[in-house]
Amino acid sequence: MSKKVKIVTDSTIDLPKEVMDQLDVTVVPLSVTINGESYLDGVEITSKEIVNHLVQSEDIPKSSQPSVGSFLEVYDRLGADGSDVLSIHMTSGMSGTYAAAKTAADMSDSNVTVVDSKYISLALSFQVREACDMAAAGETVDAIVARLEVIRNNTSLYIMVDTLEYLVKGGRIGRGKALVGSLLKIKPVASLQDGVYTPVTKVRSYMQMIKFLTKKFEEETSDKIVKGIGIAQVEARDLANQVKDALKELTS
C-alpha cells in the first residue's frame, strides 16, 4: 500500500477557506506589508482589506514570500507520521515562494516534493484540486506530479488591469506612460507565459476585453475537452459575470 500524500500550497490560490478545508490542503500564507506593518495573507488580513488599503494608501501594499522556517515547520509536522508531502506553489517567475519551499524541503526530515505550478490564483487551484483528488485515491507522488505537468501544459491564464495607477505606485511603469494610458483609457491584458507576467494586448473597453478573452478561449479550446474555467476578480463582480456569461454562450 502506498504512503499517504499530504498536499501543501500557498495563499495565492484564491480559494475560500471552506473549500481548502474540504480539500484537506495545508496553506502556507504569504505576508502583506502595509505602511510598515506585516500581515499574514488570508489569516490576519482579508483580500477586501488589502484592496481598501490599495485604494486609500499612497504606498502600494507589498507581498513577501513565506519564510523558509514557516515551510520547514509545516513539512516536518505533516511528514512526522511517515507521509509524503507534495507542495505546489505559485510561479517562481513572480515570487521567491517556490525557492523558499525548495530550501525548506532540502532541510526537512520529511520526504517533500516541491512543484512550481507556473501559475497563480485559480490556475494554480486546478493543479492543487487534482493533486488532492489523486492523493485521496491513494496515488503516489510521482503519479500526481506527472498528471500536474499535463494540467500545467494545458492551462492558460489571462489578467486584465483596469487602471494603470497601481502599476505606477508599484514602480512597474513610469508616470508619463500612465498618463498617456489613462487618456487613451488603455487597459493592459497579460498572460503568464512560462510563469512570467507577459503583456499580450491592450484594450480600451470592457467589451473589447471580453471579445479578446472569448476569441482566445475559442482558439485554445478548439477540438479539446474543457475540464475547468476559473474567473477571479477584485472589486469587479459585474464584469466577471459578463465574462462568465460570454463564455457560457460559447459552450452552450
Side-chain angles (χ1 to χ4, degrees), residues 52-243:
N52 289 338
H53 283 289
L54 186 66
V55 173
Q56 298 169 8
S57 176
E58 182 64 27
D59 295 324
I60 193 168
K62 294 178 173 60
S63 62
S64 302
Q65 72 246 25
S67 68
V68 172
S70 297
F71 279 119
L72 183 59
E73 184 278 324
V74 167
Y75 295 159
D76 285 348
R77 172 167 51 84
L78 294 181
D81 61 358
S83 296
D84 290 329
V85 179
L86 179 56
S87 204
I88 310 165
H89 295 289
M90 70 174 294
T91 173
S92 60
M94 296 179 69
S95 169
T97 300
Y98 170 77
K102 283 284 289 181
T103 299
D106 291 340
M107 297 169 61
S108 178
D109 291 331
S110 302
N111 182 27
V112 184
T113 301
V114 183
V115 171
D116 182 351
S117 75
K118 299 291 186 181
Y119 287 103
I120 57 172
S121 191
L122 299 184
L124 164 61
S125 79
F126 293 155
Q127 295 180 47
V128 173
R129 283 178 178 273
E130 184 74 2
C132 290
D133 289 345
M134 293 181 70
E139 296 285 356
T140 65
V141 168
D142 287 345
I144 298 172
V145 169
R147 176 61 180 161
L148 296 188
E149 184 176 3
V150 174
I151 295 173
R152 187 160 55 249
N153 292 337
N154 286 277
T155 299
S156 293
L157 172 63
Y158 290 94
I159 305 164
M160 189 199 79
V161 180
D162 188 41
T163 172
L164 299 177
E165 176 184 356
Y166 305 116
L167 295 182
V168 174
K169 283 186 176 183
R172 299 287 184 179
I173 61 174
R175 292 188 178 276
K177 287 185 178 180
L179 176 60
V180 173
S182 297
L183 291 174
L184 297 177
K185 297 183 179 180
I186 286 175
K187 305 175 190 298
V189 179
S191 69
L192 286 189
Q193 294 180 9
D194 297 321
V196 178
Y197 182 91
T198 306
V200 291
T201 190
K202 298 173 184 175
V203 298
R204 291 188 177 136
S205 69
Y206 295 144
M207 186 54 64
Q208 286 182 349
M209 183 271 291
I210 293 172
K211 287 181 178 178
F212 172 80
L213 291 180
T214 53
K215 180 181 178 183
K216 280 293 182 183
F217 180 83
E218 283 187 298
E219 291 174 353
E220 296 183 13
T221 62
S222 177
D223 299 323
K224 294 181 179 179
I225 297 174
V226 179
K227 292 289 189 177
I229 302 172
I231 302 173
Q233 54 81 29
V234 179
E235 300 297 303
R237 186 174 295 276
D238 288 344
L239 179 58
N241 284 329
Q242 291 179 51
V243 174

Side-chain angles (χ1 to χ4, degrees), residues 2-3 5 15 23 79 100-101 120 140 150 181 203:
S2 61
K3 290 192 292 183
V5 179
L15 287 178
L23 292 172
I120 57 172
T140 65
V150 174
V203 298

